[in-house]
Amino acid sequence: MRPHREQHLVARIGWLRAAVLGANDGIVSTASLILGVAASGAERPALLVAGVAGLVAGAMSMAAGEYVSVSSQADTERADLARERLELATSPEAELRELAEIYIARGVDPVTAKAVAEQMMAHDALEAHARDELHITEVTTARPVVAALTSAATFTAGAALPLLLAALLPMRWMAAGEAAGSILFLALLGALGAITGGAKPMKPVVRVVFWGALAMALTAGIGRLVGTSV
């Protein structure tokens, strides 16, 4: 009999979240910026300057934001692990009871729970408490550099799409073409993210398209108001 190997998609949560967030933000913010400037009556050079500036600033902002926020999570994880290591060194019996109570709360009978806790702590006490008490695992552990690089790279990739439209579309079709093309990119991103995560694509596609279209519409409206008042 062939061994049964399950491949759970939850392992993709960390990088998938950063990738979808980065690409979505890149498309929405850059397309909105270009549409806002286009609605004000600006010509192509101004659109491209605005788009490139938005791409660079957005990518750096995403990288810095992800690094700072995920680093805060990593600091908290390290502090919790240090505290747990000290408690294991000074109060091993209390930590054993605590671990057994966790297993009992999950439905294991007390005798078995105590035996399992003893075996887990004999194997790797800190790992057992990190996983079962603190919920820190290989899947969930914070990786600031990976999150920052992923967000910056995917933001850049996302922002490049509406920027490419701004460079290629005829000016008379700029607003409609930029909006339609960016919404199509968002729909494809929503579908790709859902499929990669093992979910049905309909709701994610509707979600990203709705909020992206709303952001672009509001920015274009502001650009038109500013353009007509100047």
Side-chain angles (χ1 to χ4, degrees):
M1 180 181 294
R2 296 179 61 184
H4 174 60
R5 294 184 178 179
E6 296 181 347
Q7 295 182 344
H8 294 292
L9 301 179
V10 70
R12 301 176 180 177
I13 284 177
W15 66 262
L16 182 59
R17 181 198 65 83
V20 171
L21 175 62
N24 182 82
D25 199 16
I27 295 171
V28 172
S29 61
T30 306
S32 298
L33 185 59
I34 291 171
L35 283 169
V37 176
S40 71
E43 296 299 323
R44 191 187 305 275
L47 303 185
L48 296 178
V49 169
V52 171
L55 184 154
V56 175
M60 294 304 298
S61 176
M62 288 291 293
E66 282 285 351
Y67 184 81
V68 170
S69 63
V70 179
S71 291
S72 297
Q73 178 187 338
D75 291 341
T76 301
E77 290 178 355
R78 283 193 292 269
D80 279 343
L81 289 173
R83 188 179 303 111
E84 198 65 35
R85 190 178 291 108
L86 177 62
E87 290 173 353
L88 286 168
T90 57
S91 306
E93 289 300 320
E95 290 300 299
L96 175 62
R97 289 194 301 271
E98 185 177 38
L99 193 61
E101 288 170 0
I102 291 172
Y103 299 146
I104 292 170
R106 293 178 182 175
V108 181
D109 68 85
V111 175
T112 304
K114 183 181 179 182
V116 171
E118 290 173 344
Q119 292 179 39
M120 287 292 185
M121 290 187 65
H123 175 69
D124 191 327
L126 183 61
E127 180 185 13
H129 280 270
R131 180 184 62 249
D132 295 320
E133 181 184 351
L134 304 177
H135 308 294
I136 299 174
T137 68
E138 182 66 22
V139 174
T140 62
T141 190
R143 297 180 176 84
V145 175
V146 173
L149 293 177
T150 300
S151 292
T154 53
F155 182 97
T156 300
L161 299 173
L163 187 58
L164 183 62
L165 292 177
L168 298 179
L169 285 171
M171 285 303 297
R172 64 181 181 276
W173 297 343
M174 182 60 68
E178 184 72 39
S182 297
I183 288 173
L184 175 61
F185 295 146
L186 286 171
L188 292 174
L189 174 65
L192 180 60
I195 292 170
T196 303
K200 294 181 179 179
M202 181 57 68
K203 284 186 178 180
V205 168
V206 172
R207 190 163 53 230
V208 297
V209 167
F210 172 78
W211 290 108
L214 180 62
M216 286 184 275
L218 291 174
T219 312
I222 293 171
R224 183 172 294 277
L225 287 173
V226 172
T228 55
S229 63
V230 172

